[in-house]
Amino acid sequence: MIGNMKSLKLSIQFLIAILLTVLLSVATLTLYLVREQEKSLIHEIDSKLYAVAIMADEMLPEGYHDRIFDASSIPDAEYLAIVDRFNHLCASMGLEYVWSLMRINGVTVFTTATSPDKIAENGQQAAYFEAHTNPEAYAAVFDSMQPTYQQIIDKWGRIRAALVPFRDGNGRVYLFGASMRLDDVEAKVFASFMRCMMISFGALVMCLIVSLLLTRSVVGPIDVMIGHIDRMTKGGEYGTVPETGSKEQVELTRTFNRMNSSLHEQIELVRDSENRYRGTFEQASIGVCHVSLQGTFIRVNRKVLEVLGYPQKEVLGRAVLDFTHPEDVALSASGMKDLLEGRRESCTFEKRYVRKDGAVIWATVTTSIMRKTDGIAEYFITFIQDITEKKRTEVALHQAMEEAEAANRAQSQFLANMSHEIRTPMNGFMGMMQLLEQTSLTEEQQKYLRISRASSDALLVVINDILDHAKIESGMMRLEAIRFDMRKVLDDALVLFLPAAMKKDIRMNLSVDRGVPETLVGDPFRFRQVLSNLVGNALKYTEQGKIDISVENAEEPDEGRVKIRVTVTDTGIGIPQGKMDLLFKNFSQVDDSNTRQYGGTGLGLSISKKLVELMKGDIGVESEEGKGSCFHFTCVMDVAQ
């Protein structure tokens, strides 16, 4: 009994499905055919109206619109003759109206119209030069100069109108319009609709007969299959339907079994993949969430909830920007906009979130957009990494660095301010030694005095280096801009080293290029300080050979300025290649043993480099160990006028 009821139910359902399909197909086809016929008729009418507008324009006297400037431009007789022609044209073509419009002094007015029943008593056509009551309807045609077709519904029915723009001899735009009632079109369309419905009804009857025959042959095998499927589903276990019955039933059952087996395998694969994905999503060590294209949370994992401090029900469906720090809202919105507009595949940035307890946390956010197979954007996937502790460490480190730099600046400032206090007693001490030298002293006292003077000179060099370094570091070093003789400065600087050079039997050669201006404007003291440092180092580390000093223009003088290049070349001990980067660093020397052997603070070249940079130049060195060194520097100075 149950089997028969299921068979009957399936038969009825199958029959209804066929009937509905046929009925829908017939209705769709009928509407399509009627619509296409209506489109075709409308197209024919538009072509006819366009042709009539062209004919009407050609029927006007030559230069007709050129003469229209006000209501008295065209004589009544001429205008009525034109109207009469247009009336005949409407009657012969089956049209409603033919008219023309023109803009005169910003007002859209009629220049012709077929309305013979509106002739005024004075003989002037009442519609001539009458302002149109709806000029906005024609504004687009005036501006675009393109033919336009309109459909108007009034109390008499539907009207189709064509508007065609022209230009008169003065370049002004005027329109010709032609209209036709669509009563005949509607009648033809209705007749066509009725014919289609009759054909559809016949097709429906045929389909009903065929569907009854098909139902008997198809439903039988399916009914057997339904019984097996019911037993399978009630048992809750997967199985196959026995392949019994007719040849068609066996083939249908075999196909069903193959499909069912494949479907079962796919379901298991999807279930396994879904379990792995859910486990990865939920147990990820960073926050993972899906966000809709409108910016609301769709799915979030456990880590996101920990970061935000909210339960899941208070997060899902809410906008991401609701949890974003107000100062970072624009940044987040901009990133989403770039992804949606395709300017970037993904974006990574740092932003702040506001937790439920009001605490602000920092996070690195990486967002990309997930798309369907057809390329349409579906949702955003976002990874959130909590970096609050990292940010706190960075802030603390930054504060510590600022404090260290402030302490360093304070120390440098202190040393710079102490320049006068340190040098004054030192100068007094050295002055008194010079006075003491002029008195009568024993040979032993003179020896002690020479040692004291040498020690005080060395101490003064150290003090000067430290104080210059402190001034530069604190930003208190200022260059002078005074007029000086370059050759005199060179001579004064080098003459101090001649005794030491002669003592070591080292030749010192000075070469000044003729192009170097004699008188310059700059800081001669600092220039001489750099030069003396390089020459002093060359003399210190050279035991035999020579020292060459050359001065030349590094560039041609330009607009009263010149770049001077000074080169100091020696035949001393040279510098190892691996130690070159230590030369211009503070308190560093190539070899610590040099300090003991040759002395020095390790500040000379560092100070020279910073002084050269203040003079808008640079300093460098080329050297080979055991063969000597070549130091060079440049500086920019003004040429004295």
Side-chain angles (χ1 to χ4, degrees):
M1 183 67 180
I2 295 176
N4 291 335
M5 290 179 64
K6 289 183 178 179
S7 179
L8 177 60
K9 180 180 179 181
L10 183 60
S11 299
I12 295 174
Q13 290 175 343
F14 188 71
L15 179 61
I16 291 175
I18 293 177
L19 291 176
L20 289 176
T21 302
V22 173
L23 183 60
L24 180 62
S25 300
V26 170
T28 302
L29 179 62
T30 301
L31 292 175
Y32 173 77
L33 293 175
V34 171
R35 181 61 180 166
E36 287 300 312
Q37 184 180 21
E38 184 178 11
K39 287 182 180 179
S40 177
L41 292 173
I42 292 296
H43 180 70
E44 291 178 6
I45 291 172
D46 290 344
S47 300
K48 181 177 180 181
L49 293 175
Y50 180 82
V52 168
I54 299 296
M55 292 171 57
D57 182 64
E58 293 176 351
M59 293 172 64
L60 289 176
E62 184 176 357
Y64 175 80
H65 281 90
D66 299 356
R67 295 178 282 131
I68 297 178
F69 292 97
D70 54 37
S72 62
S73 298
I74 303 301
D76 294 350
E78 182 179 359
Y79 178 79
L80 292 175
I82 292 171
V83 172
D84 187 58
R85 292 180 206 164
F86 287 176
N87 286 333
H88 283 89
L89 178 63
C90 289
S92 62
M93 301 293 288
L95 303 181
E96 183 74 12
Y97 295 109
V98 174
W99 71 95
S100 62
L101 295 168
M102 195 173 188
R103 284 177 176 171
I104 304 294
N105 297 327
V107 180
T108 303
V109 299
F110 286 97
T111 53
T112 61
T114 55
S115 299
D117 57 328
K118 294 182 180 179
I119 299 177
E121 296 179 358
N122 59 0
Q124 178 77 0
Q125 218 287 341
Y128 174 64
F129 220 78
E130 179 180 340
H132 198 281
T133 58
N134 186 21
E136 291 80 6
Y138 301 91
V141 188
F142 275 110
D143 296 335
S144 66
M145 286 297 292
Q146 296 294 327
T148 302
Y149 303 94
Q150 300 177 346
Q151 192 158 301
I152 305 168
I153 300 177
D154 60 15
K155 61 184 179 180
W156 292 285
R158 291 194 302 163
I159 296 175
R160 188 72 176 178
L163 300 171
V164 183
F166 299 90
R167 288 189 184 275
D168 65 6
N170 300 317
R172 298 178 299 173
V173 179
Y174 63 93
L175 308 180
F176 250 108
S179 62
M180 178 180 182
R181 292 203 172 275
L182 299 180
D183 299 339
D184 293 339
V185 175
E186 292 176 347
K188 292 179 180 179
V189 170
F190 181 75
S192 178
F193 176 75
M194 293 305 297
R195 285 195 299 271
C196 290
M197 289 302 296
M198 292 297 294
I199 296 172
S200 301
F201 181 75
L204 184 61
V205 173
M206 292 295 296
C207 288
L208 180 60
I209 296 172
V210 172
S211 64
L212 288 172
L213 296 175
L214 289 175
T215 301
R216 291 183 178 180
S217 60
V218 174
V219 170
I222 294 178
D223 188 47
V224 175
M225 192 178 299
I226 287 176
H228 288 287
I229 293 173
D230 278 347
R231 287 190 294 273
M232 262 174 37
T233 54
K234 288 177 181 178
E237 296 181 359
Y238 166 75
T240 58
V241 178
E243 298 177 3
T244 58
S246 65
K247 180 180 179 180
E248 292 81 6
Q249 185 177 359
V250 169
E251 184 62 30
L252 179 64
T253 304
R254 185 177 295 132
T255 301
F256 172 80
N257 285 335
R258 285 197 299 268
M259 179 188 69
N260 193 25
S261 175
S262 176
L263 180 62
H264 178 74
E265 291 175 0
Q266 293 297 322
I267 290 174
E268 289 300 318
L269 288 174
V270 170
R271 184 179 291 116
D272 183 58
S273 175
E274 189 176 90
N275 289 334
R276 288 199 303 270
Y277 163 77
R278 185 178 293 108
T280 303
F281 184 86
E282 290 297 334
Q283 301 303 321
S285 60
I286 63 173
V288 184
C289 59
H290 295 169
V291 179
S292 70
L293 300 182
Q294 291 73 38
T296 58
F297 284 111
I298 303 174
R299 286 177 289 275
V300 296
N301 71 347
R302 172 184 52 81
K303 193 64 177 179
V304 173
L305 300 176
E306 290 180 6
V307 170
L308 298 179
Y310 283 86
Q312 188 178 57
K313 64 181 181 180
E314 296 184 26
V315 173
L316 296 182
R318 290 183 60 184
V320 175
L321 299 182
D322 291 346
F323 304 91
T324 301
H325 192 279
E327 295 180 4
D328 296 335
V329 168
L331 176 64
S332 299
S334 175
M336 289 184 176
K337 183 179 179 183
D338 287 347
L339 292 174
L340 283 174
E341 295 178 355
R343 286 196 289 268
R344 288 193 283 177
E345 290 295 325
S346 65
C347 60
T348 301
F349 51 88
E350 293 181 355
K351 62 175 286 187
R352 289 163 291 181
Y353 289 101
V354 180
R355 289 171 52 86
K356 186 175 183 179
D357 58 10
V360 176
I361 62 167
W362 278 93
T364 297
V365 178
T366 299
T367 302
S368 57
I369 195 164
M370 301 300 294
R371 300 182 182 275
K372 299 179 181 178
T373 55
D374 56 4
I376 297 177
E378 189 172 7
Y379 59 87
F380 298 104
I381 181 168
T382 299
F383 300 92
I384 302 174
Q385 178 70 53
D386 189 347
I387 59 169
T388 305
E389 288 302 320
K390 175 185 173 184
K391 277 291 184 181
R392 288 173 182 167
T393 303
E394 289 178 355
V395 170
L397 180 61
H398 181 70
Q399 290 176 347
M401 289 180 62
E402 286 186 342
E403 291 173 359
E405 290 175 357
N408 187 46
R409 286 194 299 270
Q411 179 182 355
S412 298
Q413 183 75 28
F414 171 76
L415 290 175
N417 292 335
M418 290 296 294
S419 172
H420 178 71
E421 285 73 9
I422 294 175
R423 279 197 179 101
T424 298
M426 192 67 194
N427 289 334
F429 174 68
M430 294 179 68
M432 293 306 296
M433 281 197 296
Q434 289 178 353
L435 294 175
L436 183 60
E437 200 173 34
Q438 298 174 7
T439 63
S440 299
L441 299 172
T442 65
E443 184 176 344
E444 186 177 6
Q445 289 173 331
Q446 290 178 356
K447 177 183 175 181
Y448 294 158
L449 185 59
R450 284 195 301 272
I451 295 174
S452 298
R453 286 204 59 183
S455 299
S456 62
D457 288 341
L459 179 59
L460 185 60
V461 171
V462 172
I463 291 173
N464 286 338
D465 283 350
I466 293 176
L467 293 177
D468 285 344
H469 171 73
K471 273 191 174 183
I472 292 172
E473 290 297 316
S474 63
M476 295 181 62
M477 179 66 72
R478 299 290 184 268
L479 296 182
E480 300 289 341
I482 60 177
R483 186 187 183 101
F484 68 94
D485 188 321
M486 171 59 79
R487 285 164 179 76
K488 185 176 184 306
V489 170
L490 294 171
D491 292 339
D492 291 345
L494 299 180
V495 73
L496 298 175
F497 298 98
L498 289 178
M502 292 174 63
K503 184 176 180 180
K504 298 176 74 172
D505 196 20
I506 295 174
R507 298 190 309 277
M508 293 184 62
N509 304 313
L510 173 62
S511 172
V512 182
D513 188 76
R514 292 182 179 180
V516 177
E518 291 187 7
T519 308
L520 298 169
V521 176
D523 193 328
F525 175 75
R526 296 304 176 186
F527 175 83
R528 183 168 55 198
Q529 183 177 350
V530 176
L531 176 62
S532 297
N533 184 270
L534 298 184
V535 174
N537 284 345
L539 189 58
K540 182 191 302 183
Y541 296 110
T542 302
E543 297 300 329
Q544 61 181 359
K546 62 178 181 176
I547 299 174
D548 293 328
I549 302 100
S550 66
V551 183
E552 60 186 352
N553 288 341
E555 297 175 0
E556 290 296 323
D558 181 31
E559 297 182 357
R561 309 200 85 182
V562 64
K563 178 180 277 191
I564 303 296
R565 178 184 178 89
V566 180
T567 304
V568 179
T569 306
D570 64 60
T571 57
I573 62 175
I575 304 168
Q577 291 296 320
K579 301 289 187 177
M580 301 280 277
D581 57 342
L582 298 175
L583 286 175
F584 300 103
K585 292 184 178 179
N586 294 333
F587 305 105
S588 64
Q589 291 187 336
V590 171
D591 191 342
D592 291 339
S593 62
N594 289 341
T595 303
R596 295 189 297 270
Q597 182 177 353
Y598 298 103
T601 62
L603 285 173
L605 288 177
S606 172
I607 292 172
S608 296
K609 180 177 184 297
K610 291 171 182 175
L611 290 176
V612 167
E613 290 173 350
L614 287 174
M615 291 187 285
K616 297 183 176 62
D618 54 66
I619 188 169
V621 61
E622 291 85 34
S623 181
E624 185 175 351
E625 189 174 8
K627 293 187 177 181
S629 304
C630 176
F631 283 83
H632 50 81
F633 72 93
T634 60
C635 58
V636 177
M637 297 185 182
D638 293 333
V639 178
Q641 301 297 325

